[in-house]
Amino acid sequence: MSRMKTLGHSGIEVSALGIGCWAIGGPFWAGEQPLGWGRVDDEESIRALRRALELGVTFFDTADVYGTGHSERIVGRAFAGRRDEVVIATKWGNVFDESTRQLTGTDASPAYLRTAVEGSLRRLGTDHIDLYQLHLNDLPIAQARELLPVLESLVDAGKIRAYGWSTDFADRATVYAQAGAVAIQHAMSVLQDSPEVLAVVDKYDLASINRGPLAMGLLTGKFTAASTLGPDDVRGIAPDWLSFFRDGKPSPEWLDRVAAVREALTADGRTLAQGALGWLWARNGHTIPIPGCRTVAQVEENAGALSRGPLPPDAYAEVERLIREFV
């Protein structure tokens, strides 16, 4: 496998592995609900991002709401003076208060889109965003269509190079694909396949940007039934959509699935995380997994998957057989 891929049909070249920048935003909330991944060390975050670039990772995915602006600021600091070496993706659609670190709502209006892009450009310290993504997963299609003329105008103005949608719904992905989107970001991992969205990706030659490729950390192997998550961690007080964790602990049924596939994913000497990333590359040629990071060590392990490439066919087939037993 080449270490580089084209971002859909955009002509933008990116590394086959990206880095997700949700966690480095630090804590933020919607009321009492934590939405971050706990406390972070900004200097370590910057070292991690720069280390990723040293190791051949050029694609960095963030969102304006991560840490209510903080993640974008950290990405901007990390790559100041090196902007032409990286491809930066961010997202819009959530409204937030930076002073209180609170998510305060959503805004899918064309007017807010124009406001949001300026905010992201300012925080990132750049004059353009490589990939700009709608961050409202289940936004009604009619409302999403209203945003397309503005996105096209932002491309024409040079403020964004391309656009996409972070959505797990194939019908929504299709609408944006037909309009000119180059990427769909969707949940996907060994534990959570996404065949319907992948069918759209294949049909329209899109990038499949895989969020949650390590199942919120379960596929790193560091969690056991005794593990607990803190109250400032989204996994510690998990919202309904986050099934991998419950009551501040990993869900036993998901731990069982990880245990079942561990041997097949690591048979050729990969770590569990590297095997999980290799599964995604073996699953579909358009996939670009974006595991998150908070430390240099995490980046080094995940970037090590690039030299390993896709899982070998026999290991992939064995994983598929094992997973089917749980369905």
Side-chain angles (χ1 to χ4, degrees), residues 9-85:
H9 52 79
S10 68
I12 300 171
E13 191 174 65
V14 296
S15 52
L17 178 80
I19 294 292
C21 300
W22 179 8
I24 65 172
F28 67 113
W29 291 265
E32 298 297 314
Q33 171 66 59
L35 295 174
W37 292 59
R39 294 181 62 186
V40 289
D41 176 341
D42 289 345
E43 296 310 310
E44 178 70 4
S45 297
I46 289 170
R47 285 191 292 270
L49 294 176
R50 290 175 176 167
R51 181 62 175 146
L53 183 56
E54 288 176 3
L55 294 170
V57 176
T58 64
F59 182 56
F60 298 86
D61 178 87
T62 185
D64 56 7
V65 75
Y66 295 161
T68 59
H70 192 65
S71 175
E72 287 186 329
R73 294 182 191 282
I74 293 299
V75 171
R77 282 177 56 191
F79 301 124
R82 304 184 70 179
R83 178 66 182 91
D84 61 345
E85 298 178 50

Side-chain angles (χ1 to χ4, degrees), residues 230-255:
D232 62 351
D233 191 312
V234 66
R235 300 167 296 179
I237 306 175
D240 290 342
W241 56 263
L242 207 173
S243 62
F244 297 131
F245 293 83
R246 277 290 168 264
D247 302 317
K249 293 179 174 293
S251 298
E253 64 268 26
W254 290 111
L255 283 176

Side-chain angles (χ1 to χ4, degrees), residues 169-212:
F169 297 94
D171 57 347
R172 289 167 171 82
T174 298
V175 167
Y176 263 42
Q178 291 173 339
V182 305
I184 295 296
Q185 183 168 148
H186 57 109
M188 188 166 157
S189 70
V190 172
L191 305 181
Q192 186 178 28
D193 200 357
S194 185
E196 296 86 0
V197 175
L198 286 180
V200 178
V201 162
D202 287 340
K203 180 175 181 179
Y204 293 99
D205 189 22
L206 307 177
S208 161
I209 301 173
N210 309 140
R211 59 176 138 80

